[in-house]
Amino acid sequence: MDALNRDTDLNYGQSRKYHIITYGCQMNENDSERLAGQLRGLGYSSTDQIEQADLILINTCCVRESAEKKIYGKIGELKRLKTVNPNLLIGVTGCLSQKDRDKIFTKAPHVDLVMGTHNVHQLTDLIKEISQSRDRVLAVWDQAERLAPDVPTVRKSQVSAWVPIMYGCNNFCTYCIVPYVRGRERSRPLADILAEVRQLGTEGFKEITLLGQNVNSYGKDGEETIDFADLLAAVDKVETIARIRYMTSHPRDMNAKVIAVIKHGQRICEHFHLPVQSGSDIVLQRMNRGYTTEYYRKLVEKIRSEIPHASITTDIIVGFPGETDELFMQTLDFVRSIRFDAAYTFLYSPRSGTPAATMPDQVPLAIKKQRLQQLMAVQNEISLAINEALIGQTVEVLVEGPSKNDPDKMMGRTRTNKIVLWNRGKEQIGQLISVRVLKAQTWLLKGEVAD
Ligand code: SAH
Ligand code: SF4
Ligand code: F3S
């Protein structure tokens, strides 16, 4: 803390403002909060108005080409602001920085800082360096330190907080860039995780989400003697927290022990996000997912027999190389028979450097798009039917705040992670309330506060 106070005294960012734009997954959301924490330590305050910012950070994602294109477009747009304010600092952080490194400077000479995923904790020092030298800085380590030091965090929500439990991924699914840009699996020490969760409880947070690319691998890198189920059980004992979630769990590593802890736990939400990716065994094998459709089906049966009211959601990629019409039909049949509460569906996007990018029989874009439409139509019908079955029921909702689209409505989530909207009343943000479901849509429920 001393160092931070001294920095503020030195006036690095006094009365200066920052604006952070975040793309990608929850890992990036959490990294952005840690970037914000360091900027706050330097005396910066946050602004929603990008034109007023003295420092803009773009925290990037490269999981699909569409994300990349959008981000390069955004970086290009910022050039205009730099003409207006030559003192403006622009930094690009996150997974695209890790992947493209100095290519970002070549494409966008107006960028001052390119920082990789393993360098998040260095922002304070890097800003000082740039402020003094006025030179561009590239900070992209190839590998992570085993565990980066903790840095202060400025959280976006007052109700719900991310808690990283492990970093990186060892799975190397053949389509995926994440292991290349996030490095190998590193588990965070249990004591640090518990300390953070307890602190969050003391600060009034009601919900925490344990984060990792593959949370079920927790402890497997040998640094901790406990596994993910033990970790969940330990976190479940923190009484000040009302709800515990986790993201993402790999179906291959989800097991009876974890399911039992969730079943018997008090706080762990009955929501399983288990990305299946495809309903074809041939495709699953080419993806290197390490399970079959039969295995996945049994896993879902086990979850539903132990925890009947659990919700199950998934991710699915269409148009993986070699996916024929017939193999795609197997995915449609699988989705019809499993009946997911919701599915996040993606067009396969070749990522250079990954094995799938050079596999034969790449699927034309037009066919991928057609398949996506078909898949979404099937899934939407199922999601709607499952949600309609909730009409008339009363559900426990954690109040998150006003709805973004309609400030007269309040928004919250059920334990099963369904979004619920209702007319604004006396309820407080962070409160657990009962809501009677009146209407159902594909992605949300509408209701009224129950007495
Ligand atoms: N670690 C998590 C999240 C990975 S990225 C997991 O394993 O589930 C989130 C989702 O993006 C993945 O589940 C996958 O469905 C999708 N995805 C990853 N790489 C992709 C690619 N190259 N093209 C299309 N979708 C991809
Ligand atoms: Fe990517 Fe697979 Fe790792 Fe998920 S488990 S991050 S899809 S390599
Ligand atoms: Fe994207 Fe990086 Fe997350 S590539 S999905 S932001 S780990």
Side-chain angles (χ1 to χ4, degrees):
M1 274 317 276
D2 269 340
L4 294 180
N5 289 338
R6 240 180 293 127
D7 291 338
T8 316
D9 293 339
L10 284 176
N11 215 5
Y12 277 107
Q14 202 102 95
S15 76
R16 299 217 174 151
K17 293 194 158 45
Y18 70 83
H19 182 86
I20 303 181
I21 306 169
T22 310
Y23 295 89
C25 64
Q26 290 79 4
M27 276 288 173
N28 259 18
E29 297 280 352
N30 183 242
D31 282 348
S32 287
E33 294 178 338
R34 297 196 286 160
L35 296 169
Q38 292 174 79
L39 294 177
R40 183 75 63 88
L42 283 170
Y44 281 85
S45 58
S46 118
T47 175
D48 290 340
Q49 309 293 319
I50 195 165
E51 291 82 10
Q52 289 176 10
D54 304 283
L55 169 65
I56 300 172
L57 293 181
I58 309 182
N59 195 9
T60 61
C61 171
C62 58
V63 79
R64 283 170 287 275
E65 198 188 356
S66 52
E68 246 182 76
K69 276 199 178 143
K70 209 195 291 175
I71 292 165
Y72 272 115
K74 190 72 187 178
I75 298 173
E77 268 176 39
L78 298 184
K79 194 172 173 184
R80 182 183 58 83
L81 295 177
K82 193 118 184 191
T83 333
V84 183
N85 173 11
N87 288 325
L88 171 67
L89 292 180
I90 299 176
V92 182
T93 63
C95 295
L96 186 61
S97 298
Q98 189 71 29
K99 174 173 148 306
D100 281 1
R101 295 163 195 242
D102 30 5
K103 189 172 142 196
I104 296 176
F105 284 143
T106 320
K107 280 194 158 192
H110 56 287
V111 168
D112 301 282
L113 168 69
V114 172
M115 194 176 88
T117 56
H118 306 310
N119 306 75
V120 172
H121 62 285
Q122 292 185 308
L123 184 68
T124 304
D125 290 340
L126 295 170
I127 295 290
K128 282 194 253 174
E129 195 180 325
I130 296 171
S131 305
Q132 278 161 4
S133 68
R134 300 303 302 178
D135 247 358
R136 300 199 301 197
V137 171
L138 177 84
V140 181
W141 287 346
D142 285 331
Q143 276 184 356
E145 289 175 324
R146 220 210 71 74
L147 274 177
D150 280 348
V151 291
T153 312
V154 172
R155 309 216 182 234
K156 242 183 172 171
S157 158
Q158 300 148 8
V159 178
S160 195
W162 313 113
V163 177
I165 63 164
M166 47 134 7
Y167 305 93
C169 181
N170 290 357
N171 283 316
F172 290 96
C173 303
T174 54
Y175 50 81
C176 185
I177 192 90
V178 171
Y180 304 89
V181 292
R182 288 274 171 178
R184 296 294 69 72
E185 288 175 359
R186 284 104 58 205
S187 298
R188 195 176 167 204
L190 173 69
D192 292 5
I193 298 169
L194 284 177
E196 184 170 358
V197 174
R198 288 196 191 104
Q199 175 66 26
L200 288 165
T202 311
E203 288 173 21
F205 286 88
K206 290 290 174 286
E207 179 179 79
I208 55 144
T209 304
L210 306 176
L211 281 187
Q213 293 300 342
N214 179 12
V215 287
N216 316 64
S217 286
Y218 182 79
K220 284 189 188 160
D221 49 329
E223 295 295 322
E224 276 295 333
T225 48
I226 64 161
D227 62 15
F228 179 59
D230 300 329
L231 169 66
L232 267 183
V235 175
D236 192 60
K237 294 202 177 78
V238 181
E239 286 173 4
T240 43
I241 296 292
R243 288 178 172 188
I244 300 163
R245 302 185 185 279
Y246 53 91
M247 286 212 84
T248 302
S249 45
H250 194 298
R252 186 198 55 213
D253 302 320
M254 175 55 81
N255 57 36
K257 187 174 169 191
V258 175
I259 297 170
V261 169
I262 296 172
K263 179 178 175 176
H264 299 297
Q266 280 187 42
R267 303 178 167 79
I268 312 160
C269 292
E270 299 79 13
H271 168 223
F272 291 78
H273 182 64
L274 292 166
V276 69
Q277 312 297 0
S278 169
S280 148
D281 286 324
I282 294 173
V283 175
L284 284 176
Q285 197 182 8
R286 288 184 190 145
M287 287 177 161
N288 188 32
R289 287 293 288 177
Y291 54 82
T292 60
T293 52
E294 185 53 26
Y295 165 89
Y296 190 97
R297 189 186 303 282
K298 289 226 168 85
L299 179 61
V300 168
E301 280 165 11
K302 169 87 180 156
I303 293 168
R304 286 181 173 153
S305 72
E306 296 289 334
I307 313 171
H309 57 293
S311 65
I312 301 180
T313 58
T314 200
D315 293 351
I316 297 171
I317 298 174
V318 300
F320 186 80
E323 184 189 72
T324 58
D325 280 342
E326 194 194 330
L327 297 180
F328 172 64
M329 286 304 155
Q330 292 178 7
T331 294
L332 284 186
D333 288 344
F334 191 74
V335 164
R336 284 192 192 100
S337 72
I338 296 284
R339 294 182 67 78
F340 293 106
D341 287 80
Y344 300 86
T345 51
F346 307 104
L347 299 175
Y348 167 68
S349 171
R351 306 283 62 211
S352 88
T354 63
T358 49
M359 282 182 187
D361 304 317
Q362 298 282 328
V363 177
L365 184 62
I367 295 183
K368 284 186 207 170
K369 285 186 172 169
Q370 216 178 357
R371 288 182 186 164
L372 190 76
Q373 290 307 317
Q374 262 179 291
L375 175 60
M376 281 166 61
V378 169
Q379 179 55 45
N380 286 349
E381 208 175 293
I382 296 166
S383 297
L384 183 61
I386 292 176
N387 285 348
E388 278 174 342
L390 293 170
I391 291 176
Q393 288 189 25
T394 299
V395 289
E396 184 203 86
V397 171
L398 176 61
V399 181
E400 290 186 24
S403 150
K404 274 193 202 114
N405 301 327
D406 180 356
D408 291 337
K409 295 244 180 325
M410 289 297 272
M411 191 280 271
R413 268 169 231 266
T414 62
R415 284 178 68 97
T416 53
N417 209 34
K418 291 181 192 278
I419 292 175
V420 185
L421 299 180
W422 66 94
N423 285 333
R424 203 170 184 155
K426 289 201 191 76
E427 63 287 324
Q428 303 287 318
I429 291 175
Q431 207 183 342
L432 286 170
I433 59 167
S434 295
V435 174
R436 195 173 307 108
V437 180
L438 300 174
K439 258 180 95 176
Q441 296 176 6
T442 313
W443 286 95
L444 58 86
L445 303 168
K446 289 182 177 167
E448 61 183 9
V449 177
D451 301 327

